[in-house]
Amino acid sequence: MKGNLERYSKLRKSAIELLEFYLFTDPRSKLLYLLKKYSDKDIMIKKLYIEIKKELSDIFLANQSIAYNIYNKYLRKYNLQHIQEDLKQECLKALWEGIQAYEPEKSYNFSTYIYQWIQTYVNEFLKKEFRNAHLSLDESISEEGDTF
C-alpha cells in the first residue's frame, strides 16, 4: 500500500513538472530538456497518464474497505435505507477524490486522512439530502390519523 502511494506521489510530481514545462515556462529550453530525456513527448504523456491511472486504481481498490466501513456505519446509525445506493456511491466518490487530493509530503497518515475525508464528504451529502427533504401535505402527521 505504501509503495503505491509513493509511486503515485512520484508520478504526480512528474505530471505537475511536465505541465509546468509545457504551460508556465520558456518552451524552447524546457522542450530541449524533454526531447533529450524522451524521444516522443506524446508517448511519454500517454505512458505517464496510464501509470497514474493504474496507481490510482490500485490505491482505490486497496482502500475500498474504508469507504464501505463508513457507508455501513452511517446506514445503521441513521437508518438510511431509502438512500442506500446514493450513500454507497458518495462514499466511493469521496474515496476517489480523497486519493487524488492526498499529499504525502504533509506527512498525514493516509488511512486517517482518507477516513476523515470520506466522513466530511458524506456529512455534506447528508446535509444536502435532508435539506431538500420535505413532508408531503397528503401524508398524515401521526399514526392515529390526526391531520391538520
Side-chain angles (χ1 to χ4, degrees), residues 6-56:
E6 289 171 359
R7 281 194 302 272
Y8 169 65
S9 179
K10 288 177 186 174
L11 289 170
R12 183 175 170 182
K13 285 179 186 176
S14 297
I16 291 169
E17 181 181 292
L18 184 66
L19 287 174
E20 287 174 351
F21 281 153
Y22 284 128
L23 301 176
F24 303 115
T25 59
D26 178 24
R28 288 170 292 176
S29 61
K30 299 301 179 180
L31 190 57
L32 287 174
Y33 167 77
L34 286 174
L35 289 175
K36 288 178 186 174
K37 190 172 180 183
Y38 303 100
S39 60
D40 187 353
K41 63 181 178 186
D42 292 332
I43 291 173
M44 178 200 52
I45 292 170
K46 287 177 187 173
K47 283 182 181 179
L48 187 61
Y49 176 77
I50 290 168
E51 285 182 50
I52 289 172
K53 285 296 182 187
K54 183 183 178 328
E55 292 300 327
L56 283 173

Side-chain angles (χ1 to χ4, degrees), residues 60-73:
F60 180 81
L61 291 173
N63 289 285
Q64 277 185 331
S65 61
I66 297 172
Y68 284 120
N69 181 9
I70 294 171
Y71 161 74
N72 287 322
K73 173 184 156 186

